[in-house]
Amino acid sequence: MGIDVFEIGVNFVKMIAIFLMMVQIVPLLVWVERRGSAYIQNRLGPNRVGPLGLMQLAADAVKFLTKEEFVPKRGYPFLFYAAPVVAMVPAALAFGAIPLSSPVMVEAFEWMGQHWGPYSFKFQGYEIGIGIVFVLGVSSLAAYGVLLAGYGSANKYALYGALRASAQTISYELAMGLSIVGVILLFNSFNFAEIVGAQSAPMNFMLFGKKVELAFLPNWGIFYQPLGAVLLFSAMFAEANRLPFDLPEAEGELVAGYHTEYSGFKFNMFFIGEYGHMLVASALMVTFFFGGYTLWPWLTPETVAKWFTGMSLTQTSLLTALVLHGVFLAKVVLFLWIFIWVRWTLPRFRYDQLMDLGWRTMLPWALFNTILTAVVILIMRHPWGA
Amino acid sequence: MMMEAIAFYMLAGFLIFFSYKVISVPNPLHSALYLVLTMLGLASAFFNLGAQFIAGVQVIVYAGAVMVLFVMVLMLFDLKTEIRSFSRGLISGALKVMSAALIAGLALGGARSSVTVLDAPAGAAVPGDVTRQLGILLYTKYLFAFEILGILLLAVAVGVVAVSRMKGGTHARH
Amino acid sequence: MLDTEALMRIGLGHYIALSGIIFSFGMIAVMMRKNVIVMLMGVELMLNAVNLSFVAFAKEAGNLNGHIMVFFVMTIAAAEAGVGLALAVAIYKKFHEVNIRFFEQLKG
């Protein structure tokens, strides 16, 4: 059975929808960030435009679109224009590879006198067998957006910011990659869907060759890999250039870092890139350590599908997918709030502290975590009795 | 088959264009950026050939780490567009281009003859999960080479630190 | 003369040809450019071209030994880039120049 027009069309629409979802979440996050920071600092925040200040988003959008587009004269115009795009695309690509809900089955049907076979659509932009490697690789490309911005704008503050950012990204990528290895070993897969599938079950593991099942806990990665979770989350802060790791745009030292010369819509694209990275980071945390789109024992694909018994397979799977997508989004929103919370709580690192933390603290702990996980898995899965 | 051919020729066109740009643009930073694009194109070629894991590692290692280092160093040096970026000498230059063309011609000739000799249409497919088999192979048959590689990397790391701490640098020991 | 059937049926030969062309570009970069860092990039280009041919051969042969080779080549290339860049930075600190014309003599 080949791929027909219907399948290609649906996949195309799906990709665009997921990209738009990522872009559309940004203004909401900006609003949450401003109101949340105001709440944390005992202020009011933007509350004049519209109910709860929500129309401020529209006002901001208008401001971004109507500002003067400025290109520095002595810079490289092509690189200057390319940088915001390069900053935004990796986040979008990485977000497309993360499963957002259970797959949607479509039964065979007749349409326009033709027979259209049964389909199964993944609830994600595109499925790649080695999803984790893909996401790591793509998000490592985000450094180029910052580098090009720094080089293209012919501004020393931008250049400093870009150099800081690239060094920081390379350093923390190591810790990030190594902290995921524990999860890969644990669930024995590079595939997001398989990892989520393994987590939608009661906690089960091998204890000296015997299978143990604890029915009161879900099989989430956080219970096996707490150190990995902490390391991944901290490294994600550095990858997204968020406080306390926002050295590349430290406004007290570097004006605004790599986006000093940017205005209007190009600046907005950097913004979307940063918030997109936050979104990807939260989605990865949820997928690796908090059960993805499932919540055992109440909300797994099987239990939710039982709510909709009596409907056709198409309707059941679609409604199930939507419910589970809600679960996923709820978890992601929690992590996004933690991102914002941390930003307004912790002060910024000094640059040498940042490098120390990356190389001398997080990397050794991530290595230790990997080795410990490997040894424990080897001992526990060895058939001792037999 | 038609689609496959179109995809291959588009990819090949991109790769040849970008790698030509790497060697021909005068600004070294621009050639580094073209090299990044070449690396990404090669990663998609690997993906086409069924080597997903290698493609992912290509993006992580080359595009994400090695080339970021190159770009960073070039930005630190702050080199302007070079007036004379190619070596001098017409005859020696012609000889160099001819020797490179000879290599390419040999490869092309070998490729042309191999098409007729190896008449496997799509190649024998590797069964099953490529990534898992790669891991098993790496840690069984090639374990010794893998360990040696680890030692080599350790030596290289020590050497790089030693070189960069030589006198005159920001991290010099006095 | 031109056999369209052979051109349209993508096999090992096409990938080897592509690899050969990219390799020769890398070779030209090493021989003809004067900037040390661009020469290093030429080396990277050659290694990548060889990787492409390894993966193509692995697909043709139906086993994974080629992939393992690529894995090793990548690791060593990363190490080589690190050493090369460290040396380039050391040279730049001494001469304030990365053009090979300026450090022809070995005397420091």
Side-chain angles (χ1 to χ4, degrees):
Chain A
M1 194 185 78
I3 300 169
D4 57 34
V5 183
F6 182 73
E7 196 161 4
I8 291 172
V10 169
N11 280 326
F12 190 69
V13 171
K14 198 173 70 178
M15 269 185 225
I16 291 176
I18 283 171
F19 175 69
L20 286 180
M21 189 178 129
M22 194 199 96
V23 174
Q24 287 307 314
I25 222 162
V26 171
L28 285 172
L29 274 175
V30 173
W31 180 79
V32 171
E33 174 122 40
R34 295 176 73 178
R35 295 287 293 194
S37 70
Y39 173 70
I40 286 168
Q41 296 173 341
N42 221 350
R43 299 184 280 118
L44 282 174
N47 63 349
R48 291 305 173 91
V49 194
L52 293 173
L54 270 169
M55 291 308 286
Q56 186 72 41
L57 311 173
D60 281 348
V62 170
K63 187 189 77 178
F64 275 132
L65 285 174
T66 52
K67 264 202 167 176
E68 184 194 354
E69 293 282 328
F70 172 75
V71 180
K73 205 172 170 187
R74 297 182 57 195
Y76 295 86
F78 182 76
L79 298 184
F80 189 77
Y81 275 100
V85 182
V86 178
M88 197 179 81
V89 165
L93 281 178
F95 190 63
I98 297 172
L100 306 177
S101 189
S102 59
V104 177
M105 311 288 180
V106 177
E107 287 173 319
F109 61 96
E110 297 276 339
W111 186 49
M112 294 197 356
Q114 265 184 306
H115 187 73
W116 303 83
Y119 302 104
S120 165
F121 294 111
K122 298 276 192 309
F123 209 106
Q124 70 195 83
Y126 36 80
E127 202 204 14
I128 291 181
I130 47 153
I132 295 177
V133 181
F134 178 79
V135 168
L136 279 180
V138 163
S139 57
S140 71
L141 296 181
Y144 287 107
V146 180
L147 278 169
L148 294 188
Y151 190 70
S153 36
N155 176 318
K156 63 181 166 189
Y157 296 114
L159 192 67
Y160 283 139
L163 287 175
R164 281 184 175 189
S166 54
Q168 174 181 328
T169 315
I170 293 182
S171 310
Y172 280 84
E173 228 157 62
L174 285 169
M176 189 172 88
L178 270 176
S179 61
I180 299 175
V181 174
V183 180
I184 298 170
L185 288 173
L186 190 66
F187 295 117
N188 211 356
S189 173
F190 275 115
N191 193 329
F192 286 120
E194 283 177 30
I195 287 178
V196 173
Q199 293 185 60
S200 69
M203 192 180 210
N204 59 78
F205 52 87
M206 306 293 274
L207 189 70
F208 295 112
K210 286 189 282 292
K211 199 169 171 71
V212 178
E213 190 171 299
L214 299 176
F216 57 90
L217 278 177
N219 195 27
W220 287 358
I222 183 78
F223 298 119
Y224 307 102
Q225 293 282 324
L227 183 59
V230 171
L231 289 170
L232 178 66
F233 200 48
S234 334
M236 282 296 189
F237 273 91
E239 289 282 307
N241 290 332
R242 293 281 296 185
L243 257 158
F245 297 102
D246 73 335
L247 272 296
E249 46 187 301
E251 68 272 2
E253 309 155 31
L254 297 177
V255 189
Y258 56 89
H259 52 60
T260 303
E261 299 280 359
Y262 282 89
S263 64
F265 201 70
K266 296 200 281 297
F267 176 72
N268 196 19
M269 283 171 86
F270 274 115
F271 232 66
I272 295 173
E274 181 183 325
Y275 283 93
H277 268 289
M278 271 166 65
L279 192 64
V280 171
S282 310
L284 282 183
M285 281 299 291
V286 169
T287 309
F288 286 146
F289 300 109
F290 292 92
Y293 49 79
T294 64
L295 187 64
W296 193 85
W298 302 288
L299 297 164
T300 60
E302 292 80 29
T303 52
V304 175
K306 273 185 203 146
W307 299 359
F308 305 110
T309 41
M311 295 185 200
S312 72
L313 179 64
T314 312
Q315 285 167 329
T316 308
S317 64
L318 186 63
L319 288 170
T320 310
L322 287 177
V323 169
L324 293 176
H325 186 52
V327 174
F328 182 80
L329 278 185
K331 291 181 183 175
V332 166
V333 164
L334 265 177
F335 277 97
L336 287 173
W337 171 248
I338 295 177
F339 264 99
I340 290 167
W341 186 14
V342 168
R343 171 164 181 181
W344 299 101
T345 310
L346 293 182
R348 184 182 294 136
F349 283 111
R350 226 172 43 222
Y351 199 68
D352 59 324
Q353 290 173 334
L354 174 98
M355 283 292 157
D356 260 14
L357 181 70
W359 286 101
R360 293 199 200 150
T361 312
M362 283 175 59
L363 186 60
W365 277 108
L367 258 176
F368 170 75
N369 184 42
T370 306
I371 293 170
L372 187 72
T373 309
V375 169
V376 167
I377 285 177
L378 183 69
I379 292 173
M380 290 302 177
R381 291 193 184 159
H382 187 267
W384 290 99
Chain B
M1 190 163 280
M2 191 68 188
M3 292 297 285
E4 197 189 346
I6 292 170
F8 173 79
Y9 283 115
M10 272 175 69
L11 190 60
F14 277 127
L15 278 173
I16 290 170
F17 175 71
F18 289 143
S19 47
Y20 169 71
K21 278 294 201 183
V22 169
I23 62 169
S24 64
V25 290
N27 187 334
L29 196 113
H30 288 178
S31 61
L33 293 175
Y34 278 115
L35 189 54
V36 174
L37 291 175
T38 314
M39 302 287 187
L40 293 178
L42 278 167
S44 51
F46 293 164
F47 203 88
N48 261 357
L49 285 166
Q52 291 107 343
F53 186 71
I54 294 291
V57 171
Q58 165 96 2
V59 175
I60 294 177
V61 171
Y62 274 122
V66 171
M67 290 317 294
V68 172
L69 270 182
F70 270 100
V71 173
M72 209 169 108
V73 168
L74 284 168
M75 277 169 56
L76 269 177
F77 288 177
D78 190 25
L79 302 168
K80 294 284 169 277
T81 299
E82 293 165 338
I83 303 150
R84 175 174 274 283
S85 49
F86 289 94
S87 58
R88 282 173 298 182
L90 262 180
I91 296 169
S92 65
L95 279 175
K96 285 168 185 171
V97 173
M98 273 162 63
S99 62
L102 186 68
I103 295 276
L106 280 175
L108 283 170
R112 246 193 100 67
S113 59
S114 76
V115 167
T116 51
V117 174
L118 289 169
D119 206 7
V126 182
D129 187 348
V130 174
T131 313
R132 193 175 299 272
Q133 287 181 32
L134 189 68
I136 290 169
L137 209 57
L138 192 63
Y139 287 106
T140 52
K141 192 175 168 190
Y142 294 96
L143 182 64
F144 184 67
F146 186 74
E147 301 278 349
I148 293 289
L149 204 62
I151 294 170
L152 177 81
L153 281 182
L154 182 65
V156 165
V158 173
V160 168
V161 171
V163 168
S164 57
R165 284 177 77 103
M166 279 194 315
K167 64 174 181 188
T170 45
H171 297 282
R173 270 176 303 182
H174 297 292
Chain C
M1 182 64 203
L2 262 179
D3 185 4
T4 47
E5 170 68 13
L7 275 177
M8 294 314 289
R9 211 180 53 194
I10 304 301
L12 175 66
H14 294 75
Y15 281 99
I16 303 300
L18 181 59
S19 155
I21 293 169
I22 297 173
F23 185 91
S24 65
F25 279 146
M27 205 166 143
I28 291 175
V30 172
M31 289 190 300
M32 295 192 67
R33 291 300 290 254
K34 305 221 83 176
N35 188 320
V36 171
I37 295 177
V38 180
M39 289 167 74
L40 274 175
M41 288 198 271
V43 174
E44 297 291 329
L45 204 54
M46 290 201 279
L47 289 169
N48 269 283
V50 173
N51 281 353
L52 180 61
S53 69
F54 271 129
V55 173
F57 277 122
K59 171 146 195 219
E60 194 72 20
N63 62 35
L64 288 173
N65 294 339
H67 291 197
I68 299 276
M69 202 64 210
V70 172
F71 196 76
F72 288 166
V73 169
M74 269 184 198
T75 320
I76 292 172
E80 171 257 319
V83 174
L85 285 174
L87 286 173
V89 171
I91 288 171
Y92 186 77
K93 279 194 289 203
K94 212 171 184 66
F95 295 92
H96 286 281
E97 185 59 62
V98 284
N99 195 319
I100 47 166
R101 260 195 315 156
F102 286 87
F103 30 88
E104 277 164 346
Q105 74 272 36
L106 288 172
K107 195 158 161 268

Short mmCIF file of all heavy atoms in Angstrom, two decimals, chain A residues 69-71 76-86 262 266 269:
data_model
loop_
_atom_site.label_atom_id
_atom_site.label_comp_id
_atom_site.label_asym_id
_atom_site.label_seq_id
_atom_site.Cartn_x
_atom_site.Cartn_y
_atom_site.Cartn_z
N GLU A 69 12.25 48.64 10.07
CA GLU A 69 13.19 47.55 9.85
C GLU A 69 14.56 48.16 9.64
O GLU A 69 14.80 48.89 8.69
CB GLU A 69 12.79 46.74 8.61
CG GLU A 69 11.51 45.98 8.76
CD GLU A 69 11.68 44.71 9.57
OE1 GLU A 69 12.76 44.12 9.50
OE2 GLU A 69 10.74 44.33 10.28
N PHE A 70 15.47 47.84 10.53
CA PHE A 70 16.77 48.49 10.51
C PHE A 70 17.85 47.46 10.17
O PHE A 70 17.87 46.37 10.73
CB PHE A 70 17.04 49.10 11.88
CG PHE A 70 18.42 49.62 12.04
CD1 PHE A 70 18.80 50.81 11.43
CD2 PHE A 70 19.35 48.93 12.79
CE1 PHE A 70 20.08 51.28 11.58
CE2 PHE A 70 20.63 49.40 12.93
CZ PHE A 70 21.00 50.58 12.33
N VAL A 71 18.73 47.79 9.24
CA VAL A 71 19.85 46.92 8.91
C VAL A 71 21.13 47.72 9.06
O VAL A 71 21.28 48.76 8.45
CB VAL A 71 19.74 46.38 7.47
CG1 VAL A 71 20.92 45.49 7.16
CG2 VAL A 71 18.46 45.64 7.27
N TYR A 76 26.62 42.38 7.48
CA TYR A 76 26.37 41.53 6.32
C TYR A 76 24.86 41.36 6.22
O TYR A 76 24.28 40.62 7.01
CB TYR A 76 27.04 40.18 6.50
CG TYR A 76 28.53 40.25 6.54
CD1 TYR A 76 29.20 40.51 7.73
CD2 TYR A 76 29.28 40.08 5.39
CE1 TYR A 76 30.57 40.59 7.76
CE2 TYR A 76 30.65 40.16 5.42
CZ TYR A 76 31.29 40.42 6.61
OH TYR A 76 32.64 40.50 6.64
N PRO A 77 24.21 42.05 5.28
CA PRO A 77 22.75 42.04 5.27
C PRO A 77 22.16 40.64 5.15
O PRO A 77 21.19 40.32 5.84
CB PRO A 77 22.40 42.87 4.03
CG PRO A 77 23.58 43.71 3.79
CD PRO A 77 24.76 42.95 4.27
N PHE A 78 22.78 39.78 4.33
CA PHE A 78 22.18 38.45 4.18
C PHE A 78 22.21 37.69 5.50
O PHE A 78 21.21 37.12 5.94
CB PHE A 78 22.92 37.66 3.11
CG PHE A 78 22.32 36.31 2.90
CD1 PHE A 78 21.14 36.18 2.19
CD2 PHE A 78 22.91 35.18 3.43
CE1 PHE A 78 20.56 34.94 2.02
CE2 PHE A 78 22.33 33.94 3.26
CZ PHE A 78 21.16 33.81 2.55
N LEU A 79 23.37 37.71 6.17
CA LEU A 79 23.46 37.01 7.44
C LEU A 79 22.54 37.64 8.47
O LEU A 79 21.94 36.96 9.30
CB LEU A 79 24.91 37.02 7.95
CG LEU A 79 25.93 36.34 7.07
CD1 LEU A 79 27.28 36.36 7.73
CD2 LEU A 79 25.52 34.92 6.80
N PHE A 80 22.43 38.97 8.39
CA PHE A 80 21.57 39.68 9.33
C PHE A 80 20.12 39.24 9.18
O PHE A 80 19.42 39.05 10.17
CB PHE A 80 21.71 41.18 9.08
CG PHE A 80 21.05 42.03 10.11
CD1 PHE A 80 21.66 42.23 11.34
CD2 PHE A 80 19.85 42.65 9.86
CE1 PHE A 80 21.06 43.03 12.29
CE2 PHE A 80 19.25 43.45 10.81
CZ PHE A 80 19.86 43.64 12.03
N TYR A 81 19.69 39.05 7.92
CA TYR A 81 18.32 38.61 7.71
C TYR A 81 18.16 37.12 8.00
O TYR A 81 17.09 36.67 8.42
CB TYR A 81 17.88 38.90 6.27
CG TYR A 81 17.35 40.29 6.08
CD1 TYR A 81 18.12 41.29 5.53
CD2 TYR A 81 16.06 40.59 6.47
CE1 TYR A 81 17.64 42.57 5.38
CE2 TYR A 81 15.57 41.87 6.32
CZ TYR A 81 16.36 42.86 5.78
OH TYR A 81 15.86 44.11 5.65
N ALA A 82 19.22 36.35 7.75
CA ALA A 82 19.10 34.89 7.92
C ALA A 82 19.05 34.50 9.39
O ALA A 82 18.42 33.51 9.75
CB ALA A 82 20.26 34.18 7.24
N ALA A 83 19.71 35.29 10.26
CA ALA A 83 19.87 34.87 11.65
C ALA A 83 18.54 34.60 12.37
O ALA A 83 18.41 33.56 13.00
CB ALA A 83 20.69 35.91 12.40
N PRO A 84 17.53 35.49 12.29
CA PRO A 84 16.30 35.18 13.00
C PRO A 84 15.64 33.91 12.52
O PRO A 84 15.09 33.14 13.31
CB PRO A 84 15.40 36.39 12.72
CG PRO A 84 16.28 37.44 12.22
CD PRO A 84 17.45 36.79 11.61
N VAL A 85 15.72 33.66 11.20
CA VAL A 85 15.13 32.44 10.66
C VAL A 85 15.85 31.23 11.22
O VAL A 85 15.23 30.25 11.66
CB VAL A 85 15.20 32.46 9.12
CG1 VAL A 85 14.55 31.23 8.55
CG2 VAL A 85 14.56 33.71 8.58
N VAL A 86 17.19 31.31 11.21
CA VAL A 86 17.97 30.17 11.71
C VAL A 86 17.72 29.97 13.20
O VAL A 86 17.80 28.86 13.71
CB VAL A 86 19.47 30.41 11.42
CG1 VAL A 86 20.30 29.29 11.97
CG2 VAL A 86 19.69 30.53 9.94
N TYR A 262 18.60 44.35 16.43
CA TYR A 262 17.38 43.86 15.80
C TYR A 262 16.17 44.63 16.29
O TYR A 262 16.10 45.02 17.44
CB TYR A 262 17.21 42.37 16.09
CG TYR A 262 18.08 41.53 15.22
CD1 TYR A 262 19.36 41.19 15.61
CD2 TYR A 262 17.64 41.10 13.98
CE1 TYR A 262 20.17 40.43 14.80
CE2 TYR A 262 18.44 40.35 13.16
CZ TYR A 262 19.70 40.01 13.58
OH TYR A 262 20.50 39.28 12.77
N LYS A 266 11.97 40.96 13.02
CA LYS A 266 13.13 40.08 13.16
C LYS A 266 13.40 39.80 14.64
O LYS A 266 13.70 38.67 15.02
CB LYS A 266 14.35 40.73 12.50
CG LYS A 266 14.18 40.90 11.01
CD LYS A 266 15.48 41.06 10.30
CE LYS A 266 16.03 42.44 10.40
NZ LYS A 266 15.18 43.46 9.76
N MET A 269 11.08 37.24 15.81
CA MET A 269 11.42 35.86 15.47
C MET A 269 12.42 35.29 16.45
O MET A 269 12.36 34.09 16.79
CB MET A 269 11.94 35.79 14.04
CG MET A 269 10.81 35.87 13.05
SD MET A 269 11.39 36.04 11.39
CE MET A 269 11.63 34.35 10.96
#
